[in-house]
Amino acid sequence: MAEAQAAIAARARPSPREGEVERGARNVVMFLGDGMSVPTLAAARTLLGQRSNRTGEETQLSFEKFPSVGLSKTYCVDSQIPDSACTATAYLCGAKANLGTIGVLAGVPRYACEASLDPAQHVHSIAAWALQDGRDAGIVTTTRVTHASPAGAYAHVADRDWESDADVRAAGHDPARCRDIAHQLVNSYPGNQFKVILGGGRREFLPNDVVDEEGAPGRRQDGRNLIQEWQLDKIDRNVTHQYVWNRDQLRTVDADLPEYLLGLFEGSHLQYNMEADAETEPSLAELTDVAIRMLSRNERGFFLFVEGGRIDHAHHDNLAELALDETIELSRAVERATRLLAEDDSLVVVTADHAHVMAFNGYSARGADVLGPSDDRDDDGVPYMTLSYTNGPGHRPHTDHRRTDVTQDADYRAPQWRSHADVPLAQETHGGDDVAVFARGAHAGAFGGVLEQSRLPHLMAYAACLGPGARVCDRTDQH
Ligand SMILES: [Zn+2]
């Protein structure tokens, strides 16, 4: 009772006085939980509470306290169930596209290198809109910075897998014509203007005869070292800059921030939080903190994209605990951001690109271990997990027409232990259900309702009065 009344009081705001308009957002931070479906949220909040010895279900992830929530419809132009590329085009560039394509309209079929070169087919991201308005922009991710989601902020490409020139060549195209994603990030607008780029993926930037700082080889066949090219470009422009590749260096840079910062902390993706060495690997919250402080120096404001990208990877492997833990890490990063940014001049949006097929099921009692078996049994009396999957590599063949009792597995409940799946597939699939959108700050109320995913950047642009949004917002109310 008291909790409900307090929640109502917290959300009841004085309505604007006559003639007074809500001020626009100077800063916009968009958090993306890759594959962070609604059941993932429910299970992650329960785990978060249970880790503090509570029943769990009543716990809130940081962004679940935001005043506005809506649903985003995630289908793409040619796909009922989408991927991270066409959805990135929707939530960053404002147009639905074909599966696997980034920053191009649906006139570009996947793999169509030539068609993707037509500037009329290019759509530009809210990061580019922010730069054109004199604000700053940046990206943070736990995946390779060339992976599909962050690439939506800067790339125009007919296939998400063209992360280095080797991939473009392997697809039978000329990488000098259809540029790979890493090349676009370093050498093309708007990526070459990003003040902060933090994530993984060194291998896409280094030649294949060079090993990176941790001994992993590069993948490029064109002999180019794009990390050096990024540095040379900043030297040419006479701006201060720093490249870092580990947590110690990030902390050193933190004391005296350069104008431009490139941090690549792994050859490929960052490690799962539960498997990473917390002493040597930066957390998503730490990366977000540095990025916001880098960008906050621009008086006009900024756009920042932050991705918890490995929720998706864990789900694809039926690794429920890792997926939930990565979701909790995203929640921590959002919490850090809300502490750094004032609600009256910054808009924070948290959403997902698509769902997954993890089910939160059975009839367990309140407070039951969310990572454990259901209190219920199947019709043959065999236990089943509260979190299980429709499909994926966790499938176990039936014996004597009965399901396998997975609680008897030798590695049961290890982080890399797979929950069970009905349909055998090497990779669990995405889901076609809607995902949630949470918003806090200027014009947060605009994010309620059932939204086409491609409307999100238009709403953010409206709230911040930039890009296509500048046509409809009231400039006079800007900071
Ligand atoms: Zn995926």
Side-chain angles (χ1 to χ4, degrees):
M1 290 279 285
E3 188 277 337
Q5 292 301 324
I8 290 167
R11 290 192 182 194
R13 285 151 190 274
S15 47
R17 283 191 298 271
E18 191 91 15
E20 190 182 49
V21 257
E22 194 177 356
R23 283 207 298 183
R26 198 156 57 96
N27 312 310
V28 178
V29 186
M30 179 182 209
F31 285 91
L32 194 280
D34 196 314
M36 189 172 68
S37 60
V38 172
T40 304
L41 294 172
R45 76 169 82 101
T46 307
L47 177 63
L48 179 62
Q50 292 183 348
R51 283 177 172 177
S52 304
N53 298 314
R54 296 196 301 269
T55 43
E57 298 85 355
E58 68 292 341
T59 308
Q60 285 183 304
L61 298 167
S62 61
F63 47 86
E64 291 181 328
K65 299 171 187 132
F66 284 9
S68 178
V69 61
L71 289 173
S72 163
K73 295 163 67 181
T74 65
Y75 69 93
C76 288
V77 170
D78 63 344
S79 53
Q80 187 171 60
I81 295 176
D83 80 325
S84 293
C86 61
T87 53
T89 309
Y91 64 72
L92 285 167
C93 304
K96 296 216 181 207
N98 292 320
L99 196 81
T101 65
I102 299 168
V104 291
L105 290 168
V108 179
R110 188 172 187 175
Y111 312 117
C113 160
E114 285 302 317
S116 74
L117 298 175
D118 178 2
Q121 291 292 333
H122 289 185
V123 278
H124 302 280
S125 78
I126 185 171
W129 304 343
L131 289 171
Q132 270 149 19
D133 191 61
R135 303 188 211 198
D136 278 329
I139 54 170
V140 174
T141 180
T142 54
T143 67
R144 298 189 294 270
V145 296
T146 50
H147 209 240
S149 311
Y154 60 87
H156 307 283
V157 68
D159 184 34
R160 58 179 289 172
D161 294 332
W162 297 350
E163 292 183 65
S164 80
D165 68 307
D167 305 311
V168 180
R169 210 168 266 127
H173 301 293
D174 177 4
R177 206 161 157 68
C178 284
R179 289 295 189 185
D180 60 89
I181 297 171
H183 187 284
Q184 291 190 39
L185 176 57
V186 171
N187 292 299
S188 301
Y189 186 88
N192 63 357
Q193 302 297 317
F194 287 174
K195 287 279 166 69
V196 58
I197 300 168
L198 299 173
R202 290 190 293 253
R203 69 184 198 189
E204 315 297 338
F205 294 77
L206 296 173
N208 56 13
D209 59 353
V210 167
V211 294
D212 71 15
E213 294 85 349
E214 295 181 295
R219 294 183 69 242
R220 300 198 69 83
Q221 294 175 357
D222 58 8
R224 298 176 77 150
N225 183 325
L226 294 178
I227 296 172
Q228 280 175 7
E229 289 186 22
W230 181 88
Q231 293 168 313
L232 289 171
D233 173 59
K234 307 313 174 225
I235 292 168
D236 278 353
R237 286 154 53 189
N238 202 22
V239 289
T240 60
H241 62 280
Q242 190 78 44
Y243 163 68
V244 297
W245 63 271
N246 63 41
R247 187 169 181 241
D248 275 348
Q249 291 178 334
L250 186 72
R251 283 176 167 173
T252 308
V253 142
D254 207 20
D256 182 18
L257 294 174
E259 286 170 80
Y260 288 79
L261 177 62
L262 171 65
L264 298 175
F265 301 95
E266 287 289 338
S268 182
H269 306 305
L270 269 58
Q271 296 169 56
Y272 287 118
N273 170 64
M274 283 181 74
E275 297 180 343
D277 181 340
E279 285 302 305
T280 59
E281 308 295 326
S283 69
L284 186 60
E286 287 172 332
L287 296 174
T288 302
D289 188 300
V290 172
I292 288 175
R293 284 184 299 103
M294 284 285 296
L295 297 173
S296 294
R297 295 173 297 177
N298 186 329
E299 291 282 301
R300 280 188 69 79
F302 63 83
F303 173 78
L304 173 65
F305 176 72
V306 181
E307 183 195 27
R310 305 216 63 200
I311 302 165
D312 176 73
H313 297 162
H315 275 325
H316 278 306
D317 281 333
N318 295 151
L319 302 172
E321 183 172 13
L322 291 181
L324 304 191
D325 184 68
E326 293 293 307
T327 303
I328 291 168
E329 285 300 297
L330 182 74
S331 171
R332 294 201 169 108
V334 174
E335 185 165 24
R336 186 77 69 96
T338 56
R339 270 198 241 126
L340 290 169
L341 298 168
E343 190 164 356
D344 69 347
D345 77 346
S346 299
L347 173 69
V348 178
V349 175
V350 183
T351 188
D353 48 357
H354 54 71
H356 268 276
V357 297
M358 184 193 78
F360 186 174
N361 66 169
Y363 289 111
S364 288
R366 174 72 187 273
D369 180 356
V370 72
L371 296 171
S374 173
D375 293 348
D376 192 21
R377 299 273 174 121
D378 76 8
D379 289 352
D380 298 313
V382 181
Y384 66 93
M385 302 305 291
T386 291
L387 302 178
S388 63
Y389 289 85
T390 309
N391 61 47
H395 175 78
R396 277 83 162 172
H398 294 193
T399 45
D400 296 332
H401 306 290
R402 281 168 175 256
R403 295 175 48 258
T404 300
D405 180 358
V406 296
T407 67
Q408 301 305 308
D409 287 351
D411 63 341
Y412 175 63
R413 296 293 298 272
Q416 287 284 342
W417 174 80
R418 289 185 165 120
S419 192
H420 57 77
D422 183 19
V423 177
L425 282 180
Q427 285 261 291
E428 178 259 15
T429 70
H430 297 168
D433 31 319
D434 299 347
V435 294
V437 186
F438 303 88
R440 182 200 87 142
H443 298 286
F447 292 82
V450 181
L451 309 166
E452 291 292 351
Q453 188 168 50
S454 50
R455 201 191 300 171
L456 293 177
H458 297 282
L459 289 170
M460 292 188 279
Y462 168 71
C465 208
L466 52 82
R471 289 198 289 271
V472 283
C473 66
D474 180 0
R475 279 250 163 212
T476 58
D477 102 76
Q478 287 301 296
H479 291 260

